[in-house]
Amino acid sequence: MNKLAPSMLSIDFGHMEEQLMIVAGTGVEIIHVDIMDGMFVPNISFGPPVIKYVKKAIPDIKLDVHMMVQDPSRYFDKIIQLGVDNITIHAEATENLRDDLLKIKDYGIKAGVAISPDTPVSEIEPVLGIVDLVLIMTVYPGFGGQKLIPEALDKAREAKALREDKGLEYDIEVDGGINRENIKDALDAGINVIVAGSAIFGEHTEENAKEFLELIK
Ligand code: DX5
Ligand code: ZN
């Protein structure tokens, strides 16, 4: 089953609770939470206090945390104690990818590995056997509202083929520049978790979320 994970990076933070309730009301089951440190990416987003607030506002929704943070394990404790469902870390952001992923799993939550557009799937092949999710970035991480890089979708195909070859079960998630026009391409490439920020949140959040939920059926 395909899943939709609206990215709250694009939310109107002045109306955060209201906007979260709106997407929750459409049947969305996951919110994608982008944490940026200003080091791994040239932008800073938000951290644990905001996640805590989100959890309080919509306790039943799964929180899919995407850490765009250098040496992410420094923050596992703080984030995981807030009740998040999975943490995805970047292969490019740590010298200890395998250990960091195992640390996440030790907490009893799901672990994901993300690759930026210039990183090949071969880089994460050694950890595919321990992850619950592979996140294919279709833009350079750091900002919402960018244009999808179509070539990056080929990596979803690769991740899918490897999953079959190796008899594994991880989800394949896409993040960056997804809209009504290219969502089918992503699904065709083998993606089953769709992240979308600027295409969902805005003046027509409810209609957008409902439409995307239909498109992924
Ligand atoms: C970008 C973030 C994305 C971002 C996607 O670095 O990881 O999750 O919110 O935004 P859109 O869908 O607008 O490209
Ligand atoms: Zn993201």
Side-chain angles (χ1 to χ4, degrees):
M1 204 186 81
N2 297 326
K3 295 172 245 181
L4 177 67
S7 165
M8 52 173 285
L9 189 64
S10 294
I11 210 165
D12 173 357
F13 283 92
H15 299 92
M16 187 166 92
E17 187 162 353
E18 182 192 320
Q19 289 285 302
L20 289 170
M21 302 292 278
I22 288 174
V23 280
T26 64
V28 161
E29 292 173 0
I30 309 170
I31 293 285
H32 182 79
V33 181
D34 289 303
I35 304 186
M36 302 180 184
D37 66 349
M39 276 173 70
F40 178 67
V41 288
N43 196 10
I44 295 175
S45 55
F46 46 77
V50 173
I51 302 178
K52 195 170 173 184
Y53 186 78
V54 174
K55 188 74 195 168
K56 208 174 132 207
I58 45 169
D60 297 334
I61 285 214
K62 291 186 176 149
L63 300 183
D64 168 37
V65 175
H66 176 195
M67 293 187 77
M68 284 158 278
V69 172
Q70 194 65 41
D71 302 325
S73 64
R74 295 177 291 152
Y75 298 102
F76 288 168
D77 248 341
K78 261 213 162 81
I79 293 172
I80 292 170
Q81 71 182 9
L82 300 174
V84 308
D85 295 85
N86 68 278
I87 288 193
T88 296
I89 58 174
H90 269 263
E92 308 87 1
T94 172
E95 296 285 314
N96 312 299
L97 185 59
R98 190 181 184 84
D99 286 352
D100 286 357
L101 290 165
L102 290 172
K103 268 185 207 161
I104 298 172
K105 294 185 70 94
D106 276 349
Y107 282 96
I109 66 164
K110 293 183 174 171
V113 63
I115 46 173
S116 295
D118 294 337
T119 305
V121 174
S122 56
E123 199 109 332
I124 55 167
E125 207 178 326
V127 298
L128 289 180
I130 57 169
V131 297
D132 301 288
L133 179 144
V134 170
L135 170 52
I136 306 288
M137 290 296 303
T138 37
V139 299
Y140 289 94
F143 301 92
Q146 303 181 77
K147 209 168 164 293
L148 174 138
I149 301 166
E151 297 77 33
L153 284 180
D154 291 337
K155 292 194 283 180
R157 290 188 184 88
E158 257 183 85
K160 189 183 174 194
L162 285 167
R163 183 175 64 191
E164 268 152 35
D165 284 356
K166 295 173 189 277
L168 298 170
E169 291 190 341
Y170 48 79
D171 284 320
I172 307 177
E173 182 174 52
V174 70
D175 186 7
I178 291 290
N179 57 35
R180 288 166 180 71
E181 285 70 48
N182 58 28
I183 190 168
K184 283 282 173 223
D185 296 339
L187 296 170
D188 288 348
I191 301 286
N192 72 306
V193 186
I194 300 274
V195 175
S198 50
I200 301 250
F201 287 108
E203 268 177 55
H204 307 289
T205 303
E206 184 171 7
E207 292 84 341
N208 294 340
K210 283 184 177 163
E211 196 182 335
F212 272 72
L213 285 171
E214 278 304 310
L215 288 169
I216 62 166
K217 271 187 184 159

